[in-house]
Amino acid sequence: MSSIMPDYEYDIFISYRQKDNKADQWVTHFVEALRDEIEATFKEDISIYFDENPHDGLLETHDVDQSLKEKIKVLIFIPIVSQTYCDPNSFAWQHEFIAFRDFAKNDELGLDVRLDNGNVCKRILPVKIHEIDAEDQALYEKETGGVMRSIDFIYRASGVNRSLTPEDDKVQIKDQIFYRNQINKVANGIKEIINALQHRNAESDSNMEQSRVLNKSTPSISKISRRAISVTSFFVLLLALTAIWYFNIYDKPQVLSAESRNARVAIIPFTNNTNDPELDMLGEMAADWITKGLMNFGHIKVVSFETVRDNIDFALLKDSNMRAGFTERTGADKVIKGSFYQQGDEIVFQTQMIDIETGEVEFMLPSVSGEKSVLEGLVNELSQRVMTVFGLDSDENRKLIINDPPKYDAYKYYIKGIEYFINDYDKCREFLSEAIRLDSSFLLAHITMRYSFGEQGRIRESDSILVIINEKFKNPSPTEKEWLDFGNAKSSKDQYTATKAIYKRDHKAFLINYNMVLLSSYLNKPNEAVTACQNLNPKNISFKNPSIARIWFKLYSYNLIRLNRLDEALKVLEVVPPEFMSNLYYGKAMVFVLKNQPDKIHAMIQEMEDQGLGWNLIIRTYLNTSDWYALQGNITSQKKWAQLALDKINSQANGYKINQTNLPWAYYGVGNYEKALSLLHDITETKGRSSYYLSWIGLCYAKSDSIEQANGIISELDSLNTAGSKYGIAQVYSALNEKDLVVKYLQQAFKEDYVFYLGRYDTDFELLSLHGHPGYEELVKPKG
């Protein structure tokens, strides 16, 4: 049976490796099922070429059957892509797959087909029966010049890589695809391509007939005004040139559906299929710049590229579990991903949109290519193309698109700098300086440089970079301006407002969440802090940055304790890795005190001793427990635990070096203020009279009724004129029962950035006398 279109031998050619049909005749059964499905899909008879005994292996002595060359002349080529198919030394690959590709490229129908819905696909329709190696996929995409858009018949199970069979439909497994449905998809895909080819062929025949009729019926030139012909010819030519420009030069793709445009989308780094490792960062740069471009439009929901990079392992989307994990960590519904390869002196990008829930390709963008020598121009063109499919290509919207990408080498140094941010600011700035040297117009490198100084409190250097930014960059994009405003707000002490504004844009972004955790905690917004903590994955944090992990565990448990969510706080503290636990035992002690479980505190301390933890840490745990009992107004238990600490210190004094502050702390806890004062005066002689030690001395004087000396300490603290000294004054006034003055100085301290923290304000037992005072209760009441 011949093809439904003239000059073609068959409609469909099935290509496969013989070894993939030996054991269970999978390909044979597939073809039989496909024939039945096609009969139910098409009104016409559709012909399929399928050789049940193909060649397998290619030797120099093999002569390719001349008849096979004719059989390759088909409308659609279906390769059965297995673990062995993409093999240049096989007969199927060289004399079927490559042969059809070459035939289709030179055929009048072409290798690429524009479907009736506006999408573009290839006449090669791969059916994939195994997960294949990355090298095989790269080879396939290099030879076809496009992303492998396959219909998969793969059984999904951990540790399994086999083809799906009809028998698998009888067992209902979560997230498993159905063999019957996949057969239907193949038939529907064939129908889409054949319909498009038929319509194209019909239009071509119609145009030829119109031309023939027009030539036959057109009167002689003497009967028509030459001027009319000239005008008509001009407009016909104009329309023709417009059509050529529109379809061939610009090749405008179809706009995404409203559903896809409204979904939350993540841009995944493009895969490098050029075999040139120097271009590895190009895929990241393209994804980053597309993301930043989309973020300029408030109605587009897009995952920040920082969030994508933080969850890059899940972004591989290999299976349903990985896709679900990526959605959980980023909130993404769709992803835009693709690959790029080299063709001569050009780099070619292939791009697609994938639905995360199903893993299916929803949209294919036309390829974008450009000179390898101007990579930033290619990235810019790709970004513009994505803007177009989101319907953002109006003149008004073009003004919002982010400025041109930086030079490629500058971007590589910028990313290296980002990797050292927080961990090593000096190293970070070293790479950022090189990025700026290579491209002084790279605004984001300047902004990040400013942040690095700001995070270290080096305001002079931070402000000097701001001067450069304001002088050099007059028209930042909305996204860039947002980060500039964020930095300005942080410098002017309005960090929370700045962070919250950016937090709305991507509540999953690592650094944004990290700032939100800190600021919400410090500004008495425990509910917001807990939400931000929950948006950060502790495993990723631990892996990326240990110092941030410690802070995350501390602030997460602290805010849960403040909200009286004690069981949740305990769950957080129980999963803390041992290396981060050293400064978190006091948090567990507080939970056990609040739950009235002193036996668990003893058990925890015994475990600490068994693990050989530092003796000072164990003593501090006793002392912290004493403080938490004081906060509950349980003076008996407070003195009991302080005495336990004192006994430990005295019993180990000869064997361990005791931290200098532990001994006065213990004496203070048991109420021996005279001994505590003596030790504190000794400490200040060597360490200086800081607000921390002065407030402690003032408390000892106040509690031992030495009012004149306590007021003298208040005067000394006032002369320091810092936020910490004002908080110290409040503590001493609390011991003197001057409640209104306590509230006054607490308010001043908070206004001057003496932040909420465990052991301050509502968790400070020195302020116990203020509980119930209206001004104090209003100050410590959670604000968010």
Side-chain angles (χ1 to χ4, degrees), residues 165-180:
T165 69
E167 294 299 312
D168 296 321
D169 287 0
K170 299 176 183 179
V171 181
Q172 298 293 324
I173 300 176
K174 184 181 178 182
D175 298 327
Q176 184 60 269
I177 56 177
F178 287 88
Y179 182 92
R180 178 72 178 80

Side-chain angles (χ1 to χ4, degrees), residues 604-666:
M604 180 180 73
I605 292 175
Q606 184 60 54
E607 184 180 340
M608 294 168 68
E609 291 183 359
D610 293 343
Q611 292 174 357
L613 297 182
W615 198 248
N616 281 300
L617 178 61
I618 293 170
I619 292 171
R620 279 185 175 273
T621 304
Y622 278 111
L623 292 170
N624 278 310
T625 302
S626 172
D627 289 353
W628 301 147
Y629 274 114
L631 185 62
Q632 302 308 302
N634 188 338
I635 304 305
T636 301
S637 293
Q638 175 210 354
K639 291 188 174 182
K640 170 189 171 183
W641 283 89
Q643 187 62 52
L644 287 172
L646 195 56
D647 292 343
K648 284 284 184 182
I649 292 172
N650 291 330
S651 68
Q652 299 294 328
N654 296 326
Y656 294 90
K657 183 178 180 181
I658 302 300
N659 185 287
Q660 202 170 10
T661 60
N662 280 346
L663 193 54
W665 188 355

